[in-house]
Amino acid sequence: MLRIRRIYDDIVPVNREILRQVKAILQSRFSEVPAEEIDLIGEKLRNPFKQRFRSILFVAENLRRRVLGFAMLLHEPQIGFCFLDWIASVKGKAGGGIGGALYDRLRREAVALEAKGLFFECLPDDFEACPDEALLKENRARLRFYERYGARPIINTRYESAVKPEDRCMPHLVYDGLDLIKAPTCSFARKVVRALLERKYADYCSPAYVTKVIHSFRDDPVQLRPLRYVKPEAVRATVTSQSDEQIVVVINDRHDIHHVHERGYVESPVRIRSITAALMPHGLFVEVKPRKFPDKHLYTVHDADFVNYLRRACREVDEKKSLYPYIFPIRNKTRPPHEPSVLAGYYCIDTFTPINRNAYPAARRGVDCALTAARELLEGRRITYALVRPPGHHAERRSFGGFCYFNNNAIAAQYLTAYGRVAVLDIDYHHGNGQQDIFYRRSDVLTVSIHGHPDFAYPYFSGFKEECGEGEGEGFNLNLPLAEAVDGAAYRRALEKALRRIADFKADFLVVALGLDPAKGDPTGTWSLNAKDFEANGRLIGGLGLPVLVVQEGGYRTRSLGTNALHFFKGLSFAAQRWAESRKVAHERLQGIQLRYEMQPEVPGRIRHLVEITGFFSEEEIDMAEELAQERLARAAASGYEFVMAEQYGRLVGYACYGPIPCTAGSYDLYWIAVHPDVQGKGLGQRLLQETERLIRDAGGSRIYVDTSQRLQYASTRAFYENAGYRLDAVLKEFYAPGDNKVIYCKSL
Ligand SMILES: [Zn+2]
C-alpha cells in the first residue's frame, strides 16, 4: 500500500529518517545536485521562507515507512504560482504509479494554495535538442505523462537558450494550468520566469541572461505547444479535491468497565459513545488502536506511592463497591493513615471520585491511549485525539479527584518533552490543576488554563491568575479564570490571549486538554458555548500551526457532546490546513529595542559573541567583526567605521557597521549587519538597515554598496537586500573561491 504524506519539518524522529531517505534518493537520481543544496532540505522545511519560496515536501511511502518516491513543490505566494522542483522515485520503482500519485497530490495542493499555475522544467523531446537516444526516450515519456494533465511546454521564447556556450539539452519550461487549460498571460509568465531565474538559478544565470529571457516572452497569452502525444479528449485537467489530512482517534476500549452507578455521577460511558457516534462516520477521522506502554510513564509525572496506592486500593476494594474518601488528613502529611477508606482521603482532593475495582484498569488504559496518540504525532501526524475516560486533568502529582485518576495529558506532554517544547492548553470548564501542579516548577512545559473562576467553580482551591509558576517555572503557568456567565465571544478573547502566550513560548507541540463542559446546558458548568463556538475555538487553536494532541477531559451534556466535538475538530483541521497553506514568517513587533551609536570598551567582545552565535560567519569573519569594533574604539571617526547597535533589555541583539569609501564623492560601504538568532525574522535587520541609510543620508552620502556571496547559502541575505530596494550592480566571478562569486548590490539614496 502506498501512502502520500506531507512532511512538515525535521523535528520528529520519524521525519528525520524520512528526510534521510529522500536525500538518498536525490543523490542517486540527480547526481548533479550539489551536496550543499541537498543538506538544506531540512532547513527549508523548518524555515520555509528562507529563499522566498515555501518548500513543500511530499513523500510516497509504504506501510513500513520506506520512502518510494518524493516530490518537492515550491510555492511563491506573492506572484501566486507553484514550481515543481523535484519529483523522483527510488531506482527500479519508476512506472509503479508512484509518480502519478505524487503528481496528483501536488496538483491538489497547488489548487488549495490558489496557485495560478504549476510550472516545472522538462528536458527536450526533440532529436535536435537532445541527440542522446536513451535520454530522448525518457524525456518523451515524461512529457507524454504530463500531457495527460494538459501540461505542455511554453514555446516561442528563449527560455531554452544556453547560458554557457557549452550548454546542451536545455529544459523546456512546462506549464500546468491545473483547473484551467488556458495559457498564462505574458506579464504573469514574465514574473514567474524572473522569480525562477533570479532566485532559484541565481548562481547560474547572469543578469543579462535573465533580461534576455524575460524579454523573449512576447506572446500574450504565451503559447503552449500543441498536444503531441495525447488526444485532447484524453486530457484530464480538473483537480478532484483539495488536500486534507485525517485526524487520528485513539479510543479507550476499556473505558466502559469503569461505570459508577451512583446517582449524579455524570462521568459515564455514554459520553464516549455519543462522541464516537458523531465523529467516526465522518471521513475526517481514522481510528488507531491503543498500544501498551510501560508503567514508567506514570512515574514520570506521578509519585510512585500514589500510583501504587491506586493500583492496590482498586484491586482490594470489594467488587461492585465504591470507596469514597471522607477524611482528609491534610495536617500530618508525613504519616499516612492505615485504614484504607481514610487513606483514600490522603490521596484524593474531593468526596465524589471513588476507588473501585475497575477505576485503575480503565484509567491505566486511558494513559496508553494518550501515549499512543502522542506517539502518532511523533510519527508525522498533525492532529491526534485521545478519546478517553476517565478524564485526567484534575489528577496532580500525588492526588486524584474530579473523576480523574491519572493525568493523561500531563503524561503525554512529558513524553513529548523528549522531542521539543510542549505547551498544554486546558480548555475544560474546570481549572487544570493537575498539570499545573505537575509542571509548576518547569520552564520546558508551558501550562495554560481557561476556566470558571475558582470562587465559584471546582476545584475551588486553584486556578487563580496569581498562580504563575515557581522557581525555574516562574512565568510558565498562565491561568485565565473567567466569570460565571461567558458566551462564545468572551471566551474567544481569553483564548486569543492564551494562544499569544503559547506562540511566544515557541512550542514544538501543543497538547489540548479538551473539555466540552463550557457548552450551553452542561450540568457541571455555567457557560453558553454552542457548536459554532467550538468550531471557532478549534480554528483559533489550529491557527498556531503546531502538531496538536487533543486529550478528552470533561463535558457531560450527552446530547450535545458529539456535535460540539465534531465542530471543534472541523475548525481545528480547517485552520491547520490553512496554516500549512499560507504559512508566513511572523513579523512580530520587537519590544524594548534601543539603538546606540557610541562604541564602548565592552562592545567589541559583545559583537564577537553576537556574530559567533548567528552561526553564519567563518572564524576569520568573526575576528574581523571584532577588529572593526576595536578599530572604532581606538580611533573613533578616523577609523572610517561607524556603528549602529541594537540592545534589547540591555543585551546586544544586533548591529550594523558601515563607513565612507575613501576617494569617492558620497559612496558608502555597508560592512556588516548581524542579528541575534533569538530575534531574527522580526524586522530588526530591516530597522538597522533603515537607520544606517538615514545616517548615511544625513552625512551627505548618496550611494550604499553591499558585497555578498552568490552561493545558495546566501540566498536569504540577497533577498533581504533586494527587498530593501538594493539592486544587483556587479558579479565578480570566482571572487571568494572557485565557484563562489561575489555580488555587489547598490542603493541610491
Ligand atoms: Zn470539567
Side-chain angles (χ1 to χ4, degrees):
M1 208 187 93
L2 195 66
R3 184 160 86 119
I4 308 283
R5 190 158 70 87
R6 175 159 170 196
I7 306 298
Y8 289 87
D9 55 49
D10 61 347
I11 292 169
V12 299
V14 63
N15 286 357
R16 280 204 285 273
E17 166 55 23
I18 294 277
L19 273 186
R20 195 194 57 73
Q21 295 186 46
V22 165
K23 288 175 183 174
I25 297 174
L26 251 178
Q27 260 148 4
S28 72
R29 306 293 283 202
F30 302 91
S31 48
E32 73 280 11
V33 178
E36 187 189 40
E37 193 174 341
I38 292 179
D39 282 338
L40 271 177
I41 292 179
E43 166 70 14
K44 279 185 185 170
L45 294 178
R46 252 178 294 142
N47 196 351
F49 270 97
K50 196 120 183 134
Q51 318 217 352
R52 289 197 291 159
F53 284 112
R54 194 163 57 91
S55 307
I56 303 172
L57 176 64
F58 291 103
V59 297
E61 61 186 5
N62 65 14
L63 291 179
R64 291 190 306 279
R65 296 215 177 264
R66 194 161 105 75
V67 178
L68 303 177
F70 77 93
M72 178 73 99
L73 189 68
L74 303 182
H75 175 226
E76 209 296 346
Q78 257 110 44
I79 304 169
F81 71 96
C82 284
F83 182 80
L84 172 55
D85 207 3
W86 294 312
I87 181 165
S89 49
V90 289
K91 275 204 168 117
K93 281 282 181 185
I98 296 165
L102 279 166
Y103 193 68
D104 279 333
R105 179 67 181 82
L106 49 95
R107 290 181 94 229
R108 279 192 280 148
E109 189 69 24
V111 168
L113 290 166
E114 294 172 11
K116 285 177 279 190
L118 170 61
F119 293 82
F120 50 93
E121 291 188 327
C122 244
L123 293 176
D125 54 350
D126 290 309
F127 182 75
E128 305 79 67
C130 177
D132 178 333
E133 278 293 346
L135 190 60
L136 189 63
K137 203 175 150 209
E138 226 177 85
N139 297 349
R140 284 178 175 158
R142 208 165 279 151
L143 279 158
R144 178 183 302 118
F145 168 83
Y146 291 122
E147 267 195 10
R148 296 207 312 261
Y149 296 91
R152 285 163 290 156
I154 291 173
I155 53 168
N156 203 26
T157 76
R158 300 181 69 184
Y159 192 87
E160 293 87 352
S161 56
V163 181
K164 294 179 182 153
E166 67 273 21
D167 282 341
R168 293 284 173 279
C169 212
M170 293 295 285
H172 292 300
L173 181 63
V174 181
Y175 171 76
D176 181 338
L178 304 168
D179 270 335
L180 307 163
I181 304 196
K182 198 163 100 210
T185 64
C186 179
S187 73
F188 173 65
R190 281 183 169 195
K191 281 185 209 157
V192 170
V193 171
R194 179 183 290 280
L196 289 175
L197 298 183
E198 287 189 348
R199 300 187 213 164
K200 196 172 152 38
Y201 298 116
D203 293 353
Y204 199 68
C205 301
S206 68
Y209 177 87
V210 175
T211 310
K212 179 183 79 180
V213 173
I214 289 168
H215 286 294
S216 73
F217 280 69
R218 292 171 194 276
D219 301 325
D220 193 17
V222 299
Q223 282 190 56
L224 301 180
R225 193 172 81 178
L227 292 169
R228 187 176 279 188
Y229 305 103
V230 176
K231 290 200 177 74
E233 57 273 23
V235 170
R236 44 188 184 99
T238 49
V239 183
T240 45
S241 75
Q242 298 209 336
S243 66
D244 58 342
E245 301 233 351
Q246 285 182 305
I247 297 171
V248 162
V249 186
V250 187
I251 303 171
N252 186 350
D253 47 0
R254 302 189 66 190
H255 76 91
D256 50 0
I257 59 172
H258 176 60
H259 194 174
V260 180
H261 291 277
E262 261 89 352
R263 276 190 64 180
Y265 200 86
V266 290
E267 204 288 283
S268 62
V270 66
R271 297 177 59 234
I272 298 241
R273 286 198 294 273
S274 46
I275 295 175
T276 44
L279 259 46
M280 297 324 284
H282 204 279
L284 193 58
F285 301 89
V286 58
E287 188 178 348
V288 166
K289 293 283 172 218
R291 284 182 260 175
K292 265 189 84 66
F293 284 79
D295 280 349
K296 69 173 187 201
H297 296 287
L298 298 173
Y299 301 126
T300 58
V301 313
H302 292 297
D303 280 356
D305 68 323
F306 161 71
V307 176
N308 296 337
Y309 162 75
L310 262 189
R311 189 190 294 116
R312 197 184 64 242
C314 289
R315 200 169 47 217
E316 286 171 1
V317 73
D318 286 347
E319 209 170 339
K320 299 220 159 101
K321 242 194 101 178
S322 283
L323 175 67
Y324 287 91
Y326 63 98
I327 286 188
F328 298 88
I330 56 172
R331 285 187 187 81
N332 203 349
K333 289 226 173 208
T334 52
R335 298 187 58 184
H338 296 294
E339 165 59 34
S341 62
V342 180
L343 193 56
Y346 185 72
Y347 289 112
C348 189
I349 59 175
D350 57 43
T351 58
F352 58 84
T353 310
I355 293 286
N356 63 35
R357 189 62 71 87
N358 288 327
Y360 180 86
R364 182 64 185 79
R365 189 64 167 167
V367 170
D368 281 339
C369 293
L371 287 166
T372 303
R375 181 77 226 160
E376 287 286 324
L377 279 192
L378 297 180
E379 301 200 340
R381 296 280 188 177
R382 291 303 276 184
I383 303 174
T384 65
Y385 177 32
L387 176 47
V388 294
R389 60 170 290 274
H393 73 141
H394 294 307
E396 300 189 346
R397 180 163 285 283
R398 55 170 306 285
S399 57
F400 66 104
F403 310 135
C404 302
Y405 298 88
F406 293 125
N407 196 317
N408 303 308
N409 77 62
I411 293 168
Q414 170 63 32
Y415 178 70
L416 291 171
T417 56
Y419 305 95
R421 290 157 73 81
V422 184
V424 182
L425 171 64
D426 191 314
I427 52 171
D428 189 279
Y429 174 83
H430 305 95
H431 176 230
N433 59 294
Q435 62 271 15
Q436 168 173 312
D437 169 67
I438 287 163
F439 298 116
Y440 207 58
R441 303 182 65 87
R442 284 170 56 170
S443 61
D444 61 332
V445 179
L446 171 73
T447 44
V448 179
S449 178
I450 304 170
H451 47 264
H453 197 285
D455 280 352
F456 59 83
Y458 185 88
Y460 306 106
F461 58 83
S462 73
F464 299 95
K465 72 173 193 301
E466 297 76 18
E467 299 159 8
C468 58
E470 254 173 34
E472 176 62 23
E474 191 172 356
F476 292 88
N477 183 68
L478 174 66
N479 283 331
L480 296 165
L482 302 185
E484 207 155 349
V486 166
D487 62 4
Y491 191 88
R492 283 190 288 281
R493 283 196 291 278
L495 183 57
E496 278 164 5
K497 206 184 251 181
L499 296 175
R500 275 199 296 277
R501 177 67 189 98
I502 292 168
D504 276 349
F505 174 70
K506 299 205 167 41
D508 296 308
F509 301 98
L510 177 65
V511 175
V512 175
L514 172 66
L516 296 164
D517 40 14
K520 188 175 167 64
D522 190 278
T524 69
T526 59
W527 296 343
S528 57
L529 272 61
N530 59 31
K532 284 277 164 239
D533 294 321
F534 279 98
E535 182 164 345
N537 293 349
R539 280 192 188 212
L540 287 175
I541 294 169
L544 281 178
L546 293 171
V548 186
L549 162 62
V550 180
V551 180
Q552 184 61 48
E553 300 293 352
Y556 307 97
R557 185 174 185 258
T558 45
R559 264 174 46 206
S560 60
L561 277 179
T563 173
N564 288 344
L566 178 61
H567 277 81
F568 174 78
F569 282 105
K570 274 186 175 173
L572 185 62
S573 151
F574 176 85
Q577 283 300 322
R578 290 306 291 212
W579 172 85
E581 286 151 13
S582 66
R583 188 167 167 189
K584 290 198 174 72
V585 174
H587 279 284
E588 306 159 45
R589 284 192 69 83
L590 275 175
Q591 305 292 332
I593 296 283
Q594 280 201 312
L595 296 182
R596 299 192 182 283
Y597 310 91
E598 282 306 305
M599 186 55 64
Q600 304 288 339
E602 73 281 4
V603 174
R606 294 169 75 198
I607 282 183
R608 181 184 185 85
H609 176 70
L610 172 65
V611 171
E612 241 167 8
I613 209 168
T614 60
F616 202 71
F617 299 101
S618 70
E619 211 35 68
E620 294 122 44
E621 287 171 314
I622 294 168
D623 288 342
M624 195 192 304
E626 188 180 357
E627 274 164 36
L628 298 190
Q630 292 288 10
E631 186 79 8
R632 169 77 205 186
L633 191 61
R635 303 181 52 213
S639 66
Y641 302 122
E642 302 288 335
F643 282 79
V644 184
M645 289 155 286
E647 287 186 358
Q648 187 183 35
Y649 308 118
R651 177 173 74 153
L652 183 72
V653 290
Y655 83 102
C657 171
Y658 66 96
I661 304 175
C663 313
T664 63
S667 292
Y668 276 70
D669 248 334
L670 176 59
Y671 298 110
W672 221 286
I673 281 197
V675 172
H676 194 288
D678 283 0
V679 296
Q680 278 174 13
K682 295 178 182 174
L684 181 60
Q686 250 171 330
R687 203 166 143 193
L688 284 167
L689 187 59
Q690 281 162 5
E691 179 64 3
T692 304
E693 290 170 4
R694 186 186 69 79
L695 291 165
I696 292 176
R697 212 181 291 117
D698 289 356
S702 55
R703 296 168 83 77
I704 306 180
Y705 289 91
V706 190
D707 301 352
T708 184
S709 159
Q710 207 172 26
R711 272 163 59 207
L712 197 64
Q713 199 192 331
Y714 291 87
S716 59
T717 308
R718 296 195 298 270
F720 171 74
Y721 290 115
E722 285 164 20
N723 284 337
Y726 286 70
R727 63 178 169 67
L728 185 66
D729 232 26
V731 178
L732 309 188
K733 295 259 176 214
E734 326 265 320
F735 181 87
Y736 295 110
D740 188 358
N741 303 336
K742 170 162 157 172
V743 283
I744 301 175
Y745 283 93
C746 177
K747 183 175 184 176
S748 300
L749 294 173

